[in-house]
Amino acid sequence: MPAFPDDRSAEITAALGALPAGTPVSEVARRLMDLFTGGSLDAGTRLPPERQLAATLGVGRSAVREALAALEILGIVDVRPGSGTYLRGTASDLLPQTLRWGLLIGQKNTAELLELRSGLEIYVARLAAGRASAERVQSLATSLGRMRASVHDLKTFAKADAEFHNALAAGAGNHTLVDLLHVVRSLLQVYADRAVHDEDAARIAIDEHQAVFAAVERRDADAAASAMAVHMATASARLAAESA
């Protein structure tokens, strides 16, 4: 990370201006993003405090806080408790985030996000069955073992679950697909808790992951996709219930 430039709070607030009353968080974030990609700010620039941004934009501090949290998820800003919020890249660094940004600030529709995630995960499983290296397959086995070992510790279980899906995505060998899937997962984590909440659900998830692993291990793309479809149906139903 480059050294932080001098304080440019006055310049930033002057460039932002006030928003209409009742402006949603997505528009607050969009206004900030327009400024960040305008080319006038350097990577490492420290942003004005939340209260100053809120006063300048004419919105509540909670709207600014949520907007900055969304930008942090996308890797656009770096929020450092006790220090401040910093711009992570230059305009040219940030522009490739357009796809992620469009997904994030669009109308939140959990059902559509779940459909998208399911389709991507199923396709990833199919690709991984044909492309995953022996090392990636071993990573899947390791993550599955961690899931089994942590069935009584749901927080650790959720981490192992995520590791399994990440290893599967890496095995698919398509970086653009992996990037898109990461964004969709992040959005669902913002609006609904994806972790299982009891041991019975954890054991069901283990069985479903085992089926995916077995299909990938024997290089059966159709079976891997089918097994992932079953798992996604279960996971999506849980997330939909939580976000209702």
Side-chain angles (χ1 to χ4, degrees), residues 35-149:
L35 175 63
F36 298 160
T37 58
S40 62
L41 301 179
D42 300 319
T45 296
R46 181 176 179 175
L47 305 183
E50 285 180 5
R51 64 178 180 278
Q52 187 174 347
L53 288 173
T56 299
L57 293 167
V59 299
R61 288 185 63 177
S62 62
V64 171
R65 187 177 303 115
E66 290 180 36
L68 291 175
L71 293 174
E72 185 178 29
I73 289 173
L74 298 181
I76 292 169
V77 300
D78 184 14
V79 179
R80 303 183 180 186
S83 176
T85 302
Y86 300 86
L87 189 63
R88 296 192 59 160
T90 62
S92 60
D93 297 326
L94 298 176
L95 287 173
Q97 307 281 6
T98 300
L99 174 60
R100 292 177 176 152
W101 181 238
L103 280 173
L104 184 68
I105 66 174
Q107 180 65 37
K108 303 303 182 299
N109 187 317
T110 301
E112 291 183 359
L113 286 172
L114 289 172
E115 286 182 358
L116 179 57
R117 182 198 170 197
S118 294
L120 292 173
E121 294 275 14
I122 291 168
Y123 189 42
V124 159
R126 178 178 293 279
L127 291 180
R131 298 177 178 177
S133 64
E135 181 180 3
R136 294 298 186 191
V137 173
Q138 181 56 49
S139 294
L140 290 173
T142 299
S143 296
L144 189 56
R146 289 174 180 163
M147 290 174 68
R148 291 195 179 96

